[in-house]
Amino acid sequence: MQIGTSLTHCLIKKQQAHPDASGEFTLLMNDIVSACKVISSYVNKGNLIGILGSAETENIQGETQKKLDIISNDVFTDTLMQGTQVAALASEEMDEVYHLPANAKRGKYLCVYDPLDGSSNIDVNVTVGTIFSVLRAPEGVENPSEQDFLQPPGTEQVAAGYCIYGPSTIMVLTTGEGVNGFTLDMDIGEFKLTHPNITIPEDTKEFAINMSNQRFWDAPVKRYIDECLIGKEGPRGKDFNMRWVASMVAEVHRILTRGGVFLYPIDSKIRAQGGKLRLMYEANPMAMIIEQAGGMAITGPERILDIKPHKLHQRVPVILGSKNEVQVLSDYHKA
Ligand code: P6P
């Protein structure tokens, strides 16, 4: 596809490449794109329309919700429900699976999402984003249950993507045939292909981790970060740089663009809950994108996409990015 081709055109061309395609997936992707355009507009307006700050409520994660968390969740949920291509929805911001109204037409997909990831940054004007994962709905089930969302491991995702709301609004998508990025032309409200066939550099000198957790880390991560900090005088033979935005979408987008490794590992403080990041709507979609772009995504001991989910809001450790660097961490977890 040529640079500048519209996302709509790319979706239709992909549908045409699959003669048996019914067009339902294209419609679902179009609904997701519409929802992200609306969220982008709200995020960009922020305090102009009084929607920054806390909503004074908590989600199932026990996290205080921002007003924009709730607004983004409502936009994404309503747009996909009205688009009639899903049979049920699930979100970081909703405790239970969202069942469609009795009279609503059901589609053949499920979608699970983090409507505004990194929202603790929204009040300080730092990049945030929407993360989503598309699954197949069970045939003939009027109201899919939590178990229906948990059937397949991440390898069975139909599609995964994120929309990053930064200096530009960029939609990054994969349907299992590579990764493409589309920048929103705000003048005409159209996403245009700007990052075709994204490929992550296999090596890097840049790591991203929340260093304030250092005293809680397990030995393999302690060893890895210590060696990065020793630099070229040490076993790695090169100096490293560090980044930490506290917005997974921003970290992943940087890694897709110039390489790097992102770590939110297990540690003694969060061991009981299994990790910090959520499997279904953060780790799995990002792992699919990273692997499709030639990178690697693990928990430490295992590949993220092989995990058999057991709870909708299940948390897992996440280490992802440049293949050769994540391989070093994988080896340290096996040592
Ligand atoms: P910490 C945002 O809340 C998030 O889920 C990810 O986007 C981000 O990488 C991580 O948590 C930040 O966690 O502990 O640094 O605030």
Side-chain angles (χ1 to χ4, degrees):
M1 286 293 180
Q2 245 184 327
I3 296 281
T5 304
S6 75
L7 174 48
T8 308
H9 185 102
C10 291
L11 287 170
I12 294 169
K13 289 296 280 182
K14 187 166 284 293
Q15 175 188 325
Q16 291 172 337
H18 297 272
D20 56 337
S22 64
E24 291 163 281
F25 177 74
T26 302
L27 285 171
L28 172 60
M29 291 311 304
N30 196 58
D31 294 338
I32 290 173
V33 166
S34 299
C36 289
K37 285 181 187 174
V38 174
I39 295 169
S40 173
S41 170
Y42 277 126
V43 166
N44 292 338
K45 288 190 177 64
N47 248 358
L48 286 174
I49 53 175
I51 55 174
L52 296 189
S54 170
E56 312 296 333
T57 53
E58 264 195 12
N59 62 18
I60 191 172
Q61 334 280 344
E63 294 162 343
T64 302
Q65 291 173 302
K66 300 287 187 183
K67 290 176 193 167
L68 267 170
D69 279 321
I70 295 172
I71 291 167
S72 303
N73 186 66
D74 290 349
V75 167
F76 209 89
T77 303
D78 293 348
T79 304
L80 268 66
M81 185 270 287
Q82 289 156 19
T84 73
Q85 301 311 313
V86 294
L89 296 165
S91 163
E92 172 177 313
E93 303 305 337
M94 299 191 287
D95 300 357
E96 313 291 334
V97 167
Y98 176 85
H99 289 145
L100 276 54
N103 60 348
K105 181 178 177 301
R106 268 81 170 143
K108 63 184 188 183
Y109 297 104
L110 304 175
C111 192
V112 54
Y113 41 94
D114 181 354
L116 202 64
D117 180 67
S119 57
S120 58
N121 287 309
I122 197 75
D123 295 345
V124 294
N125 202 37
V126 170
T127 294
V128 291
T130 300
I131 309 171
F132 58 89
S133 169
V134 177
L135 308 169
R136 285 180 186 78
E139 286 200 22
V141 176
E142 179 82 358
N143 287 311
S145 67
E146 177 170 334
Q147 275 313 308
D148 292 315
F149 279 82
L150 307 178
Q151 283 319 305
T155 46
E156 300 308 305
Q157 293 175 95
V158 176
Y162 63 80
C163 193
I164 182 168
Y165 313 114
S168 295
T169 289
I170 301 176
M171 177 74 78
V172 172
L173 289 178
T174 182
T175 57
E177 296 168 337
V179 181
N180 291 297
F182 302 82
T183 300
L184 182 60
D185 180 337
M186 303 277 191
D187 294 336
I188 60 171
E190 180 71 77
F191 280 101
K192 291 180 177 175
L193 181 63
T194 48
H195 302 68
N197 301 314
I198 297 174
T199 305
I200 302 175
E202 292 189 346
D203 295 298
T204 184
K205 296 179 181 177
E206 196 163 71
F207 67 89
I209 195 166
N210 183 337
M211 287 297 288
S212 71
N213 296 321
Q214 186 172 28
R215 62 191 182 283
F216 305 118
W217 296 336
D218 287 351
V221 171
K222 273 200 174 84
R223 173 184 174 190
Y224 174 77
I225 298 296
D226 285 349
E227 290 178 355
C228 287
L229 296 176
I230 294 166
K232 59 176 178 288
E233 310 303 325
R236 300 304 314 278
K238 59 183 178 180
D239 289 339
F240 281 76
N241 197 359
M242 197 201 97
R243 289 286 182 275
W244 189 250
V245 185
S247 176
M248 187 185 196
V249 175
E251 318 280 7
V252 168
H253 193 73
R254 184 187 59 249
I255 288 168
L256 282 173
T257 307
R258 69 184 191 209
V261 59
F262 166 86
L263 303 90
Y264 214 114
I266 198 69
D267 69 35
S268 55
K269 188 174 63 166
I270 55 174
R271 198 180 310 282
Q273 64 188 46
K276 157 88 177 191
L277 303 178
R278 278 62 49 135
L279 174 64
M280 295 302 290
Y281 40 82
E282 290 173 322
N284 263 347
M286 291 308 205
M288 181 177 181
I289 292 167
I290 291 287
E291 288 199 1
Q292 283 291 315
M296 195 169 163
I298 61 175
T299 60
E302 66 178 313
R303 182 188 181 210
I304 286 172
L305 292 182
D306 288 337
I307 296 172
K308 176 73 182 72
H310 62 267
K311 290 291 285 178
L312 187 59
H313 298 291
Q314 169 180 351
R315 295 172 188 261
V316 292
V318 176
I319 298 172
L320 57 76
S322 294
K323 186 169 64 170
N324 295 342
E325 203 61 25
V326 175
Q327 187 59 56
V328 170
L329 276 145
S330 178
D331 295 343
Y332 286 4
H333 280 82
K334 293 186 172 79

PDB file of all heavy atoms in Angstrom, residues 117-118 120 210 213 244 246-249 251 262 264 276-278 282, ligand 1:
ATOM      1  N   ASP A 117      -5.546   3.921  28.203  1.00  0.00           N
ATOM      2  CA  ASP A 117      -4.395   3.418  28.968  1.00  0.00           C
ATOM      3  C   ASP A 117      -3.440   4.567  29.291  1.00  0.00           C
ATOM      4  O   ASP A 117      -3.231   5.459  28.473  1.00  0.00           O
ATOM      5  CB  ASP A 117      -3.665   2.359  28.143  1.00  0.00           C
ATOM      6  CG  ASP A 117      -2.476   1.810  28.903  1.00  0.00           C
ATOM      7  OD1 ASP A 117      -2.692   1.136  29.924  1.00  0.00           O
ATOM      8  OD2 ASP A 117      -1.330   2.095  28.512  1.00  0.00           O
ATOM      9  N   GLY A 118      -2.908   4.531  30.514  1.00  0.00           N
ATOM     10  CA  GLY A 118      -1.956   5.574  30.923  1.00  0.00           C
ATOM     11  C   GLY A 118      -2.658   6.832  31.389  1.00  0.00           C
ATOM     12  O   GLY A 118      -2.068   7.913  31.449  1.00  0.00           O
ATOM     13  N   SER A 120      -3.370   8.096  34.027  1.00  0.00           N
ATOM     14  CA  SER A 120      -2.815   8.902  35.143  1.00  0.00           C
ATOM     15  C   SER A 120      -1.998  10.061  34.563  1.00  0.00           C
ATOM     16  O   SER A 120      -1.688  11.027  35.232  1.00  0.00           O
ATOM     17  CB  SER A 120      -1.926   8.029  36.035  1.00  0.00           C
ATOM     18  OG  SER A 120      -0.869   7.470  35.249  1.00  0.00           O
ATOM     19  N   ASN A 210      10.150   0.895  35.543  1.00  0.00           N
ATOM     20  CA  ASN A 210       9.931   1.805  36.662  1.00  0.00           C
ATOM     21  C   ASN A 210      10.971   1.487  37.737  1.00  0.00           C
ATOM     22  O   ASN A 210      10.808   0.557  38.532  1.00  0.00           O
ATOM     23  CB  ASN A 210       8.511   1.644  37.223  1.00  0.00           C
ATOM     24  CG  ASN A 210       8.236   2.634  38.360  1.00  0.00           C
ATOM     25  OD1 ASN A 210       9.171   3.112  39.004  1.00  0.00           O
ATOM     26  ND2 ASN A 210       6.980   2.932  38.585  1.00  0.00           N
ATOM     27  N   ASN A 213      10.845   0.460  41.601  1.00  0.00           N
ATOM     28  CA  ASN A 213      10.532  -0.891  42.111  1.00  0.00           C
ATOM     29  C   ASN A 213      11.774  -1.766  42.242  1.00  0.00           C
ATOM     30  O   ASN A 213      11.666  -2.956  42.550  1.00  0.00           O
ATOM     31  CB  ASN A 213       9.527  -1.565  41.162  1.00  0.00           C
ATOM     32  CG  ASN A 213       8.193  -0.830  41.140  1.00  0.00           C
ATOM     33  OD1 ASN A 213       7.725  -0.369  42.180  1.00  0.00           O
ATOM     34  ND2 ASN A 213       7.597  -0.699  39.960  1.00  0.00           N
ATOM     35  N   TRP A 244      10.974   6.093  30.727  1.00  0.00           N
ATOM     36  CA  TRP A 244       9.810   5.582  31.447  1.00  0.00           C
ATOM     37  C   TRP A 244       8.702   6.631  31.382  1.00  0.00           C
ATOM     38  O   TRP A 244       8.821   7.696  31.966  1.00  0.00           O
ATOM     39  CB  TRP A 244      10.080   5.205  32.911  1.00  0.00           C
ATOM     40  CG  TRP A 244       8.889   4.494  33.518  1.00  0.00           C
ATOM     41  CD1 TRP A 244       8.033   4.976  34.472  1.00  0.00           C
ATOM     42  CD2 TRP A 244       8.389   3.202  33.175  1.00  0.00           C
ATOM     43  NE1 TRP A 244       7.051   4.053  34.758  1.00  0.00           N
ATOM     44  CE2 TRP A 244       7.244   2.957  33.975  1.00  0.00           C
ATOM     45  CE3 TRP A 244       8.790   2.199  32.274  1.00  0.00           C
ATOM     46  CZ2 TRP A 244       6.512   1.758  33.894  1.00  0.00           C
ATOM     47  CZ3 TRP A 244       8.071   1.023  32.196  1.00  0.00           C
ATOM     48  CH2 TRP A 244       6.946   0.806  33.003  1.00  0.00           C
ATOM     49  N   ALA A 246       5.334   5.772  31.796  1.00  0.00           N
ATOM     50  CA  ALA A 246       4.190   5.300  32.608  1.00  0.00           C
ATOM     51  C   ALA A 246       2.907   5.302  31.778  1.00  0.00           C
ATOM     52  O   ALA A 246       1.808   5.526  32.287  1.00  0.00           O
ATOM     53  CB  ALA A 246       3.997   6.139  33.872  1.00  0.00           C
ATOM     54  N   SER A 247       3.087   5.054  30.486  1.00  0.00           N
ATOM     55  CA  SER A 247       1.964   4.881  29.565  1.00  0.00           C
ATOM     56  C   SER A 247       2.396   3.816  28.566  1.00  0.00           C
ATOM     57  O   SER A 247       3.234   4.075  27.689  1.00  0.00           O
ATOM     58  CB  SER A 247       1.666   6.203  28.851  1.00  0.00           C
ATOM     59  OG  SER A 247       0.650   6.014  27.891  1.00  0.00           O
ATOM     60  N   MET A 248       1.851   2.597  28.743  1.00  0.00           N
ATOM     61  CA  MET A 248       2.337   1.454  27.947  1.00  0.00           C
ATOM     62  C   MET A 248       2.260   1.717  26.459  1.00  0.00           C
ATOM     63  O   MET A 248       3.150   1.330  25.699  1.00  0.00           O
ATOM     64  CB  MET A 248       1.536   0.201  28.301  1.00  0.00           C
ATOM     65  CG  MET A 248       2.078  -1.052  27.665  1.00  0.00           C
ATOM     66  SD  MET A 248       1.008  -2.449  28.019  1.00  0.00           S
ATOM     67  CE  MET A 248       2.119  -3.820  27.584  1.00  0.00           C
ATOM     68  N   VAL A 249       1.188   2.414  26.033  1.00  0.00           N
ATOM     69  CA  VAL A 249       1.033   2.680  24.596  1.00  0.00           C
ATOM     70  C   VAL A 249       2.210   3.507  24.081  1.00  0.00           C
ATOM     71  O   VAL A 249       2.757   3.228  23.011  1.00  0.00           O
ATOM     72  CB  VAL A 249      -0.304   3.415  24.325  1.00  0.00           C
ATOM     73  CG1 VAL A 249      -0.410   3.807  22.869  1.00  0.00           C
ATOM     74  CG2 VAL A 249      -1.482   2.536  24.706  1.00  0.00           C
ATOM     75  N   GLU A 251       5.250   3.649  25.386  1.00  0.00           N
ATOM     76  CA  GLU A 251       6.481   2.839  25.396  1.00  0.00           C
ATOM     77  C   GLU A 251       6.521   1.898  24.184  1.00  0.00           C
ATOM     78  O   GLU A 251       7.515   1.765  23.505  1.00  0.00           O
ATOM     79  CB  GLU A 251       6.563   1.991  26.676  1.00  0.00           C
ATOM     80  CG  GLU A 251       6.167   2.660  27.978  1.00  0.00           C
ATOM     81  CD  GLU A 251       7.229   3.551  28.617  1.00  0.00           C
ATOM     82  OE1 GLU A 251       8.283   3.790  28.003  1.00  0.00           O
ATOM     83  OE2 GLU A 251       6.951   4.022  29.729  1.00  0.00           O
ATOM     84  N   PHE A 262      10.794  -3.005  26.982  1.00  0.00           N
ATOM     85  CA  PHE A 262       9.894  -2.524  28.038  1.00  0.00           C
ATOM     86  C   PHE A 262       9.712  -3.645  29.055  1.00  0.00           C
ATOM     87  O   PHE A 262       9.470  -4.801  28.674  1.00  0.00           O
ATOM     88  CB  PHE A 262       8.544  -2.152  27.421  1.00  0.00           C
ATOM     89  CG  PHE A 262       7.419  -1.951  28.409  1.00  0.00           C
ATOM     90  CD1 PHE A 262       7.219  -0.718  29.018  1.00  0.00           C
ATOM     91  CD2 PHE A 262       6.557  -2.993  28.734  1.00  0.00           C
ATOM     92  CE1 PHE A 262       6.171  -0.524  29.921  1.00  0.00           C
ATOM     93  CE2 PHE A 262       5.505  -2.813  29.649  1.00  0.00           C
ATOM     94  CZ  PHE A 262       5.328  -1.570  30.232  1.00  0.00           C
ATOM     95  N   TYR A 264       7.626  -4.573  32.694  1.00  0.00           N
ATOM     96  CA  TYR A 264       6.893  -4.438  33.933  1.00  0.00           C
ATOM     97  C   TYR A 264       6.869  -5.835  34.562  1.00  0.00           C
ATOM     98  O   TYR A 264       5.905  -6.592  34.422  1.00  0.00           O
ATOM     99  CB  TYR A 264       5.479  -3.865  33.795  1.00  0.00           C
ATOM    100  CG  TYR A 264       5.167  -3.026  35.017  1.00  0.00           C
ATOM    101  CD1 TYR A 264       4.990  -1.665  34.935  1.00  0.00           C
ATOM    102  CD2 TYR A 264       5.135  -3.610  36.288  1.00  0.00           C
ATOM    103  CE1 TYR A 264       4.776  -0.892  36.067  1.00  0.00           C
ATOM    104  CE2 TYR A 264       4.926  -2.864  37.425  1.00  0.00           C
ATOM    105  CZ  TYR A 264       4.757  -1.502  37.319  1.00  0.00           C
ATOM    106  OH  TYR A 264       4.560  -0.732  38.440  1.00  0.00           O
ATOM    107  N   LYS A 276       1.429  -6.416  37.198  1.00  0.00           N
ATOM    108  CA  LYS A 276       0.766  -5.101  37.174  1.00  0.00           C
ATOM    109  C   LYS A 276      -0.175  -4.984  35.972  1.00  0.00           C
ATOM    110  O   LYS A 276      -1.309  -4.549  36.107  1.00  0.00           O
ATOM    111  CB  LYS A 276       1.823  -3.996  37.086  1.00  0.00           C
ATOM    112  CG  LYS A 276       1.342  -2.678  36.531  1.00  0.00           C
ATOM    113  CD  LYS A 276       0.775  -1.762  37.580  1.00  0.00           C
ATOM    114  CE  LYS A 276       0.371  -0.432  36.958  1.00  0.00           C
ATOM    115  NZ  LYS A 276       0.044   0.616  37.895  1.00  0.00           N
ATOM    116  N   LEU A 277       0.302  -5.389  34.789  1.00  0.00           N
ATOM    117  CA  LEU A 277      -0.472  -5.160  33.558  1.00  0.00           C
ATOM    118  C   LEU A 277      -1.455  -6.293  33.315  1.00  0.00           C
ATOM    119  O   LEU A 277      -1.234  -7.439  33.715  1.00  0.00           O
ATOM    120  CB  LEU A 277       0.484  -4.991  32.373  1.00  0.00           C
ATOM    121  CG  LEU A 277       1.506  -3.859  32.548  1.00  0.00           C
ATOM    122  CD1 LEU A 277       2.448  -3.779  31.369  1.00  0.00           C
ATOM    123  CD2 LEU A 277       0.796  -2.525  32.767  1.00  0.00           C
ATOM    124  N   ARG A 278      -2.568  -5.962  32.656  1.00  0.00           N
ATOM    125  CA  ARG A 278      -3.650  -6.923  32.453  1.00  0.00           C
ATOM    126  C   ARG A 278      -3.441  -7.708  31.164  1.00  0.00           C
ATOM    127  O   ARG A 278      -3.092  -7.151  30.119  1.00  0.00           O
ATOM    128  CB  ARG A 278      -4.997  -6.188  32.399  1.00  0.00           C
ATOM    129  CG  ARG A 278      -5.625  -5.848  33.753  1.00  0.00           C
ATOM    130  CD  ARG A 278      -4.860  -4.922  34.686  1.00  0.00           C
ATOM    131  NE  ARG A 278      -4.367  -3.697  34.097  1.00  0.00           N
ATOM    132  CZ  ARG A 278      -4.491  -2.500  34.699  1.00  0.00           C
ATOM    133  NH1 ARG A 278      -5.132  -2.398  35.848  1.00  0.00           N
ATOM    134  NH2 ARG A 278      -3.986  -1.413  34.128  1.00  0.00           N
ATOM    135  N   GLU A 282      -4.124  -5.515  27.685  1.00  0.00           N
ATOM    136  CA  GLU A 282      -2.837  -4.811  27.571  1.00  0.00           C
ATOM    137  C   GLU A 282      -1.776  -5.776  27.027  1.00  0.00           C
ATOM    138  O   GLU A 282      -1.281  -5.605  25.917  1.00  0.00           O
ATOM    139  CB  GLU A 282      -2.415  -4.241  28.943  1.00  0.00           C
ATOM    140  CG  GLU A 282      -3.275  -3.071  29.413  1.00  0.00           C
ATOM    141  CD  GLU A 282      -2.960  -2.613  30.832  1.00  0.00           C
ATOM    142  OE1 GLU A 282      -2.690  -3.459  31.699  1.00  0.00           O
ATOM    143  OE2 GLU A 282      -2.995  -1.383  31.077  1.00  0.00           O
TER     144      GLU A 282
HETATM  145  P1  P6P B   1       3.504   2.705  37.145  1.00  0.00           P
HETATM  146  C1  P6P B   1      -0.801   2.736  33.144  1.00  0.00           C
HETATM  147  O1  P6P B   1      -1.558   2.842  34.328  1.00  0.00           O
HETATM  148  C2  P6P B   1      -0.206   1.340  33.105  1.00  0.00           C
HETATM  149  O2  P6P B   1      -1.239   0.399  33.128  1.00  0.00           O
HETATM  150  C3  P6P B   1       0.663   1.195  31.867  1.00  0.00           C
HETATM  151  O3  P6P B   1       0.187   1.920  30.782  1.00  0.00           O
HETATM  152  C4  P6P B   1       2.009   1.710  32.341  1.00  0.00           C
HETATM  153  O4  P6P B   1       3.098   1.121  31.645  1.00  0.00           O
HETATM  154  C5  P6P B   1       2.028   1.291  33.812  1.00  0.00           C
HETATM  155  O5  P6P B   1       0.656   1.156  34.224  1.00  0.00           O
HETATM  156  C6  P6P B   1       2.694   2.353  34.669  1.00  0.00           C
HETATM  157  O6  P6P B   1       2.807   1.813  35.970  1.00  0.00           O
HETATM  158  O7  P6P B   1       3.693   1.737  38.292  1.00  0.00           O
HETATM  159  O8  P6P B   1       4.815   3.220  36.603  1.00  0.00           O
HETATM  160  O9  P6P B   1       2.530   3.819  37.431  1.00  0.00           O
END
